Amino acid sequence: MAIPESQLDTWSHQGSVTQSRDTYKAIRNALNSGGAYAGKDYEIFLQGSYGNDTNVYSESDVDVVILLHDTYAFDLTNLPALEQGAFNNGTENATYRHADFKRDVLRALEKSFGSDAVDGNKAIAVKANGTRRKAD
């Protein structure tokens, strides 16, 4: 079955740039509105199809990243005991962990979007609503 020319034309044009831009702005504002991570070193940026201008009509969500620079994870299992000791003597355990950060991001999004902010396995989704596109 052939694909109609009109469908190919629709697919060949970039998706809703205005809605995607407004969705990103709303989420960025919600994330910058404070919360327990205010004052920490983080940045917010786009990722995925909207971020690299390849989103297509009616098929794309807005992928927003909030990256925390203030914590890190490590694996010492391959280091000899002496080097593990040196590492442990020179570092402090993080007091603000990934789980804390994800919880606080979810709270900030719930404050702005209510039950439209949904905690997922890997990411937090914000449901589409009115002119807002789906985002995660």
Side-chain angles (χ1 to χ4, degrees):
M1 178 176 186
I3 299 173
E5 187 72 28
S6 61
Q7 183 64 55
L8 293 172
D9 188 51
T10 297
W11 286 342
S12 70
H13 291 88
Q14 192 174 4
S16 176
V17 176
T18 302
Q19 280 186 331
S20 296
R21 182 196 65 227
D22 292 347
T23 298
Y24 173 58
K25 182 178 178 181
I27 291 173
R28 188 184 67 234
N29 288 343
L31 293 172
N32 279 327
S33 68
Y37 53 85
K40 298 200 179 297
D41 183 15
Y42 70 91
E43 65 180 296
I44 300 168
F45 56 91
L46 289 167
Q47 183 171 296
S49 61
Y50 173 65
N52 61 32
D53 298 326
T54 60
N55 55 317
V56 294
Y57 182 78
S58 79
E59 295 295 325
S60 297
D61 63 354
V62 178
D63 298 308
V64 180
V65 176
I66 179 167
L67 174 64
L68 180 67
H69 294 285
D70 281 351
T71 192
Y72 62 93
F74 54 87
D75 179 3
L76 305 179
T77 57
N78 292 325
L79 287 179
L82 186 63
E83 291 179 18
Q84 287 183 22
F87 178 86
N88 289 328
N89 287 333
T91 60
E92 295 180 26
N93 288 332
T95 58
Y96 189 69
R97 301 183 182 278
H98 175 263
D100 302 323
F101 183 54
K102 186 175 181 185
R103 177 200 62 224
D104 294 339
V105 167
L106 178 61
R107 285 181 182 163
L109 293 172
E110 287 174 336
K111 184 177 177 184
S112 292
F113 304 111
S115 62
D116 283 348
V118 180
D119 190 6
N121 184 32
K122 294 182 181 179
I124 299 168
V126 177
K127 296 177 185 176
N129 188 341
T131 60
R132 186 180 67 232
R133 297 184 66 79
K134 179 188 177 303
D136 55 24

